[in-house]
Amino acid sequence: QVQLVESGGGLVQAGGSVRLSCVASGRTFSSGTMGWFRQAPGKEREFVAAIRAATYYATSVKGRFTISRDNAKNTVYLQMNSLKPEETAVYYCAARPDFSYSTYRLGDSYDYWGQGTQVTVSS
């Protein structure tokens, strides 16, 4: 069983930066996938970024966000720069023990989820 706990959310001005952290307890998926998703009120959950060996990003965040992992600390990070007001959302981390190029951007393919952390970007 895996438990994921996100932290680092809060209020930030447009154009600012936030770094989210996700600490995993239990099994360490050294060869698996960690992902970040977000959901804004009234909108569907959307893929943000994922990492196994390589990194993968939604087109909307590529070049501004960076996902990384520290296996020694069982932690995945999401560095978010140049934030936009429309990116206000609850951000979730997720984990799966494998990797699929076809499904890594689909939330339903992940087995474990954190509780989410709110990121509010003010205009």
Side-chain angles (χ1 to χ4, degrees):
Q1 190 170 358
V2 174
Q3 182 179 7
L4 305 175
V5 180
E6 305 99 330
S7 63
L11 177 64
V12 62
Q13 294 182 350
S17 298
V18 169
R19 188 180 73 158
L20 305 181
S21 299
C22 176
V23 179
S25 62
R27 181 181 176 184
T28 299
F29 296 144
S30 60
S31 62
T33 308
M34 298 292 296
W36 286 96
F37 294 78
R38 65 189 178 191
Q39 186 168 26
K43 296 184 178 180
E44 297 182 10
R45 179 182 61 195
E46 68 172 341
F47 168 77
V48 177
I51 184 170
R52 193 183 68 162
T55 57
Y56 308 87
Y57 299 94
T59 301
S60 62
V61 308
K62 196 170 186 178
R64 297 185 296 115
F65 290 12
T66 302
I67 185 171
S68 61
R69 71 195 304 172
D70 185 339
N71 287 330
K73 297 181 179 180
N74 296 321
T75 302
V76 176
Y77 304 95
L78 183 66
Q79 177 68 45
M80 305 188 293
N81 298 327
S82 302
L83 282 162
K84 305 173 182 179
E86 58 265 35
E87 293 176 312
T88 293
V90 177
Y91 284 71
Y92 299 92
C93 65
R96 57 188 288 180
D98 60 353
F99 174 80
S100 171
Y101 187 81
S102 298
T103 61
Y104 71 86
R105 59 181 64 83
L106 303 178
D108 287 346
S109 73
Y110 288 77
D111 301 304
Y112 305 100
W113 291 83
Q115 83 289 346
T117 184
Q118 175 72 42
V119 175
T120 301
V121 185
S122 63
S123 60

